[in-house]
Amino acid sequence: MKRSTLVRGTAVTGAFAIAITLTSCAGSAADSAPSSSDLTIGSVDLSADCPATIVVQTDWNPEAEHGHLYEMIKDDYTIDAGTKAVTGPLKVDGEYTGVNLEIRAGGPAIGFQTVSAQMYQDDSITLGYVSTDEAIQLSSTTPTKAVFAPLDISPTMVMWDPTTYPNVKTIQDVKPALEANKGVWRYFDGSAYIEYLKSSGLASADILDGSYDGTPSNFVAAGGKDMQQGFASAEPYVYENEVSAWGKPVDFALIHDSGWQTYQSSMSVKAADFDTLSPCLTKLVPVLQKAGVAYYKDPKAANDLILKLVEDYDTGWTYTQGVADYSVKTQVDLGLVGDGPDSTYGNFDDARFADFFDKASKVYTDLGTPPASGYTPEDLYTNEFIDTSISF
């Protein structure tokens, strides 16, 4: 199959070649998840409180931003390339926890629908990646509650050619620069942050183009005149090193720095399942925290699995060792992952969440999809399961 360069989060047209073979980490055919009957449960036992298989629905193809999940099954797993899922005994600090973990790909694997919608269609899903803006917008129809934030800052950014725009350094510089040069900011249609930027005076209709399809063709064809949405933890490397028609650096600014401070890919449960799952989450969330810290300390084995999954799933998504290495380093260097303003990894900042709730609620109300009546920030997240002693 001819593989195109696809960017995270886009709906892609065309047929996908779907591999239907099942391979294990040893490369042999497999019909079921790894047997864990001969494994000894270590100091953390999830078997009495959690589902026998904890199912996590991610929001995109396997990538380094999901590394904390793959860290927990990196040494023992079974891949189902047909369903785009990988399963293995869930381990922390190398010890078995008594349950399995199944990680499911999102994006093309679920028809590009929201993770929230997928969670409500499939009761087997325990947790899903739901960004705060999605949680607010869909609180009336598919309500979720976040329990763990693997990313402290969203990687979403706008990027530009530094040769064309040498004086652009921040989000505030973008609008006047594009207006002067008659360029456009190409983005995914429906991105809520764009409405916030418009209401804040940081963007306007004359510089915005919602036709971005996730491929580099229009950016390259514009020769540096246009700017484009992307992930700071991927595209800067990809465009310089893997898009041969461009092959040079880009500069960027994080949307987070504009004041739109969503928690990207927060691990969430369906609101109605929260009480039932609480005993499990009490033990599981600290395991998720430890896995994240371990992954960024030594990502090699988990990244090997990520790269293997990308190859086996064969959705048209390309992901190389270079991108994975760049992503891990950039996430840490930019503070996309880490302890945030305190000394705890994976928690939510109350003041920040409240501020974002107010901003996003206004945007979605103006768009005709207000949050559920009477909803407050506390309905959308909790820090009660977080172990405050776990940090980077």
Side-chain angles (χ1 to χ4, degrees):
M1 143 179 200
K2 182 180 179 181
R3 303 178 71 87
S4 58
T5 300
L6 303 180
V7 176
R8 188 188 195 283
T10 179
V12 181
T13 58
F16 293 101
I18 301 177
I20 59 173
T21 57
L22 300 179
T23 57
S24 72
C25 57
S28 59
D31 295 320
S32 61
S35 173
S36 53
S37 58
D38 58 345
L39 296 177
T40 300
I41 297 175
S43 58
V44 177
D45 185 355
L46 302 178
S47 62
D49 299 298
C50 294
T53 297
I54 294 172
V55 178
V56 177
Q57 177 63 63
T58 68
D59 53 2
W60 191 239
N61 292 285
E63 57 186 352
E65 289 83 358
H66 306 168
H68 67 106
L69 292 179
Y70 297 106
E71 176 70 22
M72 294 182 284
I73 59 170
K74 63 185 180 183
D75 298 319
D76 189 4
Y77 53 82
T78 294
I79 300 171
D80 186 335
T83 63
K84 310 294 185 288
V86 59
T87 306
L90 195 161
K91 296 181 181 180
V92 59
D93 297 328
E95 296 181 345
Y96 178 49
T97 61
V99 300
N100 280 346
L101 173 65
E102 179 181 335
I103 306 167
R104 298 180 181 177
I110 57 173
F112 300 100
Q113 69 176 336
T114 66
V115 170
S116 300
Q118 187 73 7
M119 291 170 71
Y120 273 82
Q121 292 172 19
D122 187 344
D123 287 337
S124 69
I125 298 172
T126 314
L127 299 110
Y129 277 2
V130 181
S131 296
T132 310
D133 39 5
E134 178 185 327
I136 294 170
Q137 181 186 26
L138 302 181
S139 56
S140 295
T141 55
T142 52
T144 55
K145 191 163 187 172
V147 298
F148 171 63
L151 293 171
D152 188 61
I153 294 175
S154 170
T156 304
M157 53 88 168
V158 58
M159 70 181 194
W160 59 85
D161 175 22
T163 301
T164 305
Y165 296 105
N167 297 321
V168 175
K169 304 299 180 186
T170 68
I171 292 287
Q172 289 73 18
D173 300 329
V174 167
K175 181 174 179 287
L178 284 173
E179 288 176 337
N181 202 35
K182 300 187 184 306
V184 298
W185 176 341
R186 199 165 284 108
Y187 67 95
F188 290 125
D189 189 32
S191 298
Y193 76 85
I194 290 291
E195 298 302 320
Y196 166 74
L197 294 176
K198 287 164 65 176
S199 68
S200 302
L202 297 174
S204 56
D206 60 317
I207 67 162
L208 294 172
D209 181 346
S211 66
Y212 183 43
D213 63 359
T215 64
S217 56
N218 287 330
F219 184 84
V220 172
K225 182 178 180 180
D226 296 342
M227 302 191 188
Q228 186 169 281
Q229 176 176 329
F231 252 34
S233 48
E235 273 84 354
Y237 178 89
V238 171
Y239 274 71
E240 181 174 1
N241 298 281
E242 298 183 357
V243 178
S244 58
W246 184 257
K248 54 186 176 180
V250 296
D251 280 350
F252 63 88
L254 294 171
I255 302 302
H256 178 91
D257 294 335
S258 74
W260 186 259
Q261 299 186 344
T262 185
Y263 282 96
Q264 184 85 28
S265 306
S266 299
M267 295 194 68
S268 307
V269 299
K270 290 189 292 188
D273 293 345
F274 179 78
D275 289 341
T276 301
L277 286 173
S278 286
C280 171
L281 296 170
T282 298
K283 295 180 179 180
L284 176 62
V285 170
V287 170
L288 298 175
Q289 292 177 268
K290 289 181 179 180
V293 172
Y295 169 71
Y296 287 98
K297 183 178 180 180
D298 182 8
K300 184 182 184 309
N303 280 351
D304 286 346
L305 173 55
I306 288 169
L307 294 171
K308 179 171 178 54
L309 293 175
V310 170
E311 180 180 356
D312 287 4
Y313 291 174
D314 197 21
T315 65
W317 165 253
T318 59
Y319 202 73
T320 65
Q321 185 71 59
V323 181
D325 293 342
Y326 171 86
S327 179
V328 171
K329 183 178 187 304
T330 301
Q331 288 179 62
V332 174
D333 289 350
L334 294 181
L336 306 181
V337 66
D339 298 338
D342 56 16
S343 58
T344 301
Y345 166 59
N347 61 337
F348 301 89
D349 181 273
D350 296 327
R352 171 181 156 187
F353 204 107
D355 176 71
F356 183 77
F357 180 84
D358 290 342
K359 290 175 179 175
S361 295
K362 182 180 185 305
V363 167
Y364 287 120
T365 298
D366 291 343
L367 292 174
T369 54
S373 178
Y375 250 50
T376 67
E378 289 71 26
D379 293 310
L380 296 166
Y381 81 102
T382 182
N383 284 322
E384 66 185 275
F385 309 115
I386 295 288
D387 184 337
T388 57
S389 71
I390 300 174
S391 73
F392 271 61

